[in-house]
Amino acid sequence: MPRELSLGNGRLLINFDGRFNMRDLYYPYVGWPNHISHLGGEKSRIGLWINGEFTWLEESGWELQVGYKPGTLNGRVQGVNKALQVALEIENGVHYRWDVFLEKVTVHNLAPIYREIRLFFYHDFTLNESPLGDTAAYLPDRGVILHYKRGLHFLINGRAGSEGFFQYATGNKRFRGAEGTWRDAEDGHLEGNPIHHGSVDSTASFRLYLAPGEKGEVRYWIAAGRDWPEVARANGVVLSAGLDRLLAENGAYWQAWARKYDRDFGDLPPPVVDLYYQSLLVIRTQSDSGGAILAASDSDILYEARDHYGYCWPRDGALVAAAMDQAGYPEVSFPFYYYCSRVLDPRGFFYQKYNSDGTLGSSWLPPVHGKKSIIPFQEDETALVLWALGEAWKKYRDWRLINDLYHTLVRPAAEFLLSYRDARTGLPLPSYDLWEERRGVFTFTAASVYAGLKAAGLLAHYAGRPEERDKYRRAAEQVKRGIGEHLYSPTLGRFVRGIYGDDEGRAKVDHVLDASLLILGVLEVWPATDPRLRRTVEAVKQGLRVNTQVGGIARYTGDYYFRRSEDLQTVPGNPWFICTLWLAICLAKAARGLEELEGARGILEWAAARATPAGMLPEQLHPYTGEPLSVSPLTWSHATFVSAVETYLRCRRQLQESGSPGGQP
């Protein structure tokens, strides 16, 4: 189920699905480890007991609206159960400074009688993604529940008025037939077992007495820390400052952060503007304080595979960082560049992906091709980090980027890009493609290498290295020339996806139409007026359009990933947000008058209309129903939306200033 709430501060990240189940809890890194879902499907949740009847909020009897308090990273949930005559309003959030999850639950008794209502909070925690050695304990002197293991502590506390827990229980789960303390809760009474170890869980309850039409409030929090003093301190902060005050300041902080600039959104409608701000906030939740930018934190992909998207791909991170630089948020992008300098291989390249702590992530890219040992990597990842860093330098002129990163990141990566090329064609040598499906020489990779070497030349100039500047610039032009000579098909009138070489050195051209060709326009390898680029953009626009009511652009013809249709004429592949928004960027750059911006604006409106109710952008959509497929949210999707909006507005301003047709002179 897609995540509808992501609440985080760069260390503690908590995700909720559309039925308000807490599905992911990451600490102390964004993306690792997940202390709830390690197999797929585990959840922590809220239940109510009213006059002998019990219900979990995820059940069908509840009408739920799960989303954000507008413009903030505070969640807002509204729920009504007509059969039980009760309504809930919930506000929650992860504090921007303290590693504590805060939640305020307002219960409204809609019945015409006085009633006792009990709230149950169930905690299905598996610390460090392993059930071995966990302990859950109730501490009577503090009135709290503590889950701990090694260097991890989670303290759970709350108040119903001035009262703490009404009842509690700890126990075993998924072991020797034990279902968990959630089952104990369903009779409205918890047995009070104070401690358990191994594969454990816990449940705490609060009690309210409400007259007809009366509202009552429960305040609940989880403090995360490395040891007892850390969580005890955070617990003390909540008790002394008050949960309401902390929630209010958290909402105010994130609203001010997202709207720190006065922006003129021109003719963009409110849904696009709202999604722009929502995207900034979502991206921030997926960004670790140590610099890693997570691809996605939705663990439900574990239903499809025994791995997830909870890694930092340098490519994804570079494109996200570049979008945040376009928007003016170096506090997100700069830590990423420093993170990259720490994980770069000594030979000057990045492997496929990394964990948030900087260790090497899992991979499926073979290190052998035929009988030959190869580097199992995607060269575009190395190149795009350099390109993004160059864009950041042009934006901010911050000398830290030169002083700190030229010798540790720029030069070694540029030297690798320089050397890893075919002397005859000038193109990069084979590596795996951005979709991680095939190995060859690809237009996307070559365009990225061109942009990366060009950026390296710029940075070398300001680092006072003229010989390196000239060397990188010459190499960039050689790559560009190679793209034009070897990756363009006069017969098709467009660029091709790539080239594969056989053992005899013969080249096989891959003519499959692929949306990644749009990177030529995104990175401005050629100006938007170049006829070869214009024909390529038009080919993608026409040939990869999803011809259903959902619309959008597919990755490539015959895309198999999460395929939902075999009718390739109608559905060449599922619509992807990044591919569709790349088209918007290319259309905006090609516009010669304000009226020609209509296509790009239409795509931005399409994206806003296809977001989930809470404003999340998944990786892809079902081509007929529009429901999210794969992970949601995908950080790259939100970043491409931000980039597309920024590009649209920049192009619109330029057209207005130039006095172009339809513009204001």
Side-chain angles (χ1 to χ4, degrees):
M1 183 177 289
R3 303 307 186 243
E4 287 288 56
L5 278 180
S6 284
L7 309 172
N9 63 5
R11 298 173 303 277
L12 176 61
L13 172 63
I14 298 177
N15 293 330
F16 291 85
D17 63 24
R19 298 306 297 173
F20 198 56
N21 295 304
M22 183 188 291
R23 300 296 303 280
D24 309 293
L25 189 160
Y26 299 98
Y27 179 84
Y29 298 99
V30 170
W32 182 82
N34 191 338
H35 304 294
I36 291 180
S37 185
H38 67 292
L39 297 174
E42 298 89 346
K43 56 196 172 187
S44 298
R45 48 188 170 153
I46 295 177
L48 280 82
W49 179 91
I50 306 173
N51 290 356
E53 294 189 61
F54 189 92
T55 176
W56 296 104
L57 285 192
E58 66 177 339
E59 294 174 359
S60 60
W62 285 92
E63 299 174 12
L64 291 179
Q65 293 181 330
V66 180
Y68 290 95
K69 198 171 182 180
T72 76
L73 277 180
N74 281 9
R76 183 172 68 181
V77 181
Q78 295 174 308
V80 176
N81 189 310
K82 294 178 180 178
L84 292 178
Q85 296 181 289
V86 65
L88 299 180
E89 184 167 340
I90 302 171
E91 182 176 356
N92 59 12
V94 169
H95 196 267
Y96 71 93
R97 180 182 175 193
W98 298 98
D99 294 335
V100 59
F101 168 71
L102 309 160
E103 188 160 85
K104 179 181 177 181
V105 183
T106 301
V107 183
H108 189 186
N109 179 17
L110 302 178
I113 58 173
Y114 186 87
R115 295 196 293 179
E116 176 187 354
I117 298 177
R118 300 176 189 173
L119 270 70
F120 291 79
F121 293 80
Y122 172 63
H123 315 110
D124 188 355
F125 296 164
T126 302
L127 305 190
N128 275 337
E129 303 181 355
S130 170
L132 300 177
D134 284 15
T135 298
Y138 174 72
L139 307 181
D141 58 331
R142 301 285 185 138
V144 303
I145 291 174
L146 182 69
H147 284 246
Y148 72 91
K149 178 165 66 181
R150 300 186 185 95
L152 284 169
H153 285 64
F154 292 95
L155 181 152
I156 301 158
N157 202 355
R159 294 290 184 270
S162 61
E163 299 296 320
F165 298 146
F166 170 55
Q167 292 175 336
Y168 63 86
T170 68
N172 276 138
K173 65 183 181 187
R174 294 186 290 274
F175 181 69
R176 291 183 176 176
E179 295 179 276
T181 57
W182 63 270
R183 182 65 77 186
D184 185 21
E186 291 185 335
D187 63 358
H189 179 79
L190 296 172
E191 296 299 330
N193 184 48
I195 190 167
H196 227 297
H197 74 105
S199 179
V200 298
D201 62 3
S202 69
T203 304
S205 68
F206 299 89
R207 180 169 58 178
L208 296 170
Y209 292 101
L210 300 178
E214 187 180 7
K215 295 181 179 180
E217 297 173 343
V218 171
R219 292 165 177 82
Y220 162 86
W221 60 94
I222 303 172
R226 305 289 187 121
D227 53 31
W228 170 254
E230 281 191 18
V231 295
R233 183 184 180 198
N235 183 53
V237 168
V238 180
L239 290 170
S240 60
L243 184 141
D244 293 18
R245 173 185 162 186
L246 294 175
L247 270 177
E249 71 181 29
N250 192 61
Y253 175 88
W254 288 117
Q255 187 171 55
W257 181 85
R259 296 176 180 266
K260 66 179 181 177
Y261 300 109
D262 292 327
R263 302 181 189 272
D264 179 5
F265 286 96
D267 60 350
L268 294 179
V272 172
V273 176
D274 291 344
L275 183 57
Y276 174 89
Y277 285 121
Q278 184 72 58
S279 294
L280 294 176
L281 291 165
V282 171
I283 291 168
R284 184 63 185 85
T285 67
Q286 308 300 303
S287 302
D288 185 79
S289 60
I293 297 176
L294 217 62
S297 56
D298 173 2
S299 64
D300 271 6
I301 195 70
L302 290 171
Y303 286 123
E304 304 291 335
R306 288 289 84 185
D307 209 345
H308 46 69
Y309 282 41
Y311 300 97
C312 179
W313 275 260
R315 171 202 315 104
D316 298 36
L319 292 168
V320 173
M324 295 304 278
D325 283 331
Q326 282 183 275
Y329 290 85
E331 60 267 40
V332 174
S333 64
F334 279 29
F336 170 75
Y337 301 133
Y338 281 84
Y339 171 88
C340 288
S341 73
R342 297 192 299 271
V343 304
L344 185 72
D345 187 88
R347 291 168 287 177
F349 61 84
F350 297 108
Y351 283 104
Q352 181 184 14
K353 54 191 167 80
Y354 297 84
N355 297 303
S356 295
D357 64 356
T359 56
L360 188 62
S362 62
S363 180
W364 57 86
L365 303 181
V368 177
H369 183 69
K371 296 181 179 180
K372 182 181 178 182
S373 176
I374 61 171
I375 303 173
F377 80 134
Q378 301 155 281
E379 193 181 10
D380 66 276
E381 299 204 86
T382 304
L384 285 172
V385 170
L386 291 187
W387 166 77
L389 186 58
E391 295 299 298
W393 167 255
K394 289 190 284 187
K395 172 88 173 184
Y396 306 112
R397 288 295 197 269
D398 191 317
W399 282 95
R400 289 176 296 173
L401 299 178
I402 301 294
N403 293 337
D404 298 347
L405 299 177
Y406 185 78
H407 293 285
T408 61
L409 175 59
V410 177
R411 188 178 184 277
E415 289 293 327
F416 178 83
L417 297 180
L418 186 75
S419 64
Y420 196 78
R421 292 187 303 134
D422 186 300
R424 182 180 63 85
T425 66
L427 291 170
L429 292 172
S431 67
Y432 291 98
D433 72 329
L434 82 156
W435 306 132
E436 303 167 321
E437 295 175 352
R438 53 194 65 85
R439 185 175 183 272
V441 179
F442 301 100
T443 298
F444 184 96
T445 304
S448 301
V449 170
Y450 162 77
L453 284 168
K454 186 177 177 183
L458 173 71
L459 296 167
H461 173 75
Y462 286 99
R465 313 284 292 219
E467 292 182 0
E468 292 172 357
R469 173 198 63 200
D470 296 343
K471 180 171 59 172
Y472 300 150
R473 287 176 174 174
R474 282 195 303 270
E477 290 305 312
Q478 291 166 2
V479 174
K480 180 177 179 178
R481 186 164 57 249
I483 297 172
E485 292 177 356
H486 301 284
L487 292 169
Y488 179 78
S489 169
T491 303
L492 294 175
R494 63 167 174 85
F495 290 93
V496 298
R497 178 158 71 178
I499 302 172
Y500 311 105
D502 61 20
D503 294 337
E504 282 76 38
R506 293 171 299 192
K508 177 184 177 183
V509 179
D510 185 343
H511 296 105
V512 172
L513 187 59
D514 194 308
S516 67
L517 296 173
L518 297 174
I519 201 68
L520 293 165
V522 173
L523 298 181
E524 299 181 355
V525 179
W526 279 280
T529 55
D530 184 276
R532 295 169 300 175
L533 178 58
R534 291 177 71 91
R535 288 194 295 269
T536 300
V537 172
E538 185 64 20
V540 170
K541 179 182 175 182
Q542 299 299 331
L544 293 179
R545 176 187 293 135
V546 177
N547 297 298
T548 67
Q549 290 184 342
V550 173
I553 298 295
R555 277 201 305 176
Y556 57 83
T557 305
D559 186 3
Y560 72 93
Y561 191 49
F562 283 90
R563 180 184 290 178
R564 292 296 186 267
S565 174
E566 299 299 326
D567 179 5
L568 299 184
Q569 293 298 316
T570 304
V571 181
N574 298 334
W576 281 53
F577 278 95
I578 59 170
C579 301
T580 311
L581 292 163
W582 279 341
L583 178 60
I585 292 172
C586 290
L587 294 177
K589 290 183 176 183
R592 291 167 292 182
L594 290 182
E595 71 283 353
E596 292 186 12
L597 286 173
E598 183 177 345
R601 185 174 63 250
I603 291 175
L604 296 176
E605 293 173 358
W606 172 88
R610 296 301 179 193
T612 70
M616 297 298 197
L617 296 180
E619 179 181 75
Q620 48 186 299
L621 298 171
H622 192 293
Y624 291 103
T625 68
E627 66 181 309
L629 292 177
S630 186
V631 294
S632 180
L634 182 74
T635 313
W636 194 359
S637 294
H638 283 279
T640 312
F641 183 81
V642 169
S643 181
V645 169
E646 290 288 340
T647 302
Y648 175 89
L649 294 175
R650 174 174 58 82
C651 293
R652 186 174 187 273
R653 287 191 298 268
Q654 291 172 346
L655 291 170
Q656 289 177 318
E657 292 167 0
S658 67
S660 63
Q664 298 295 324

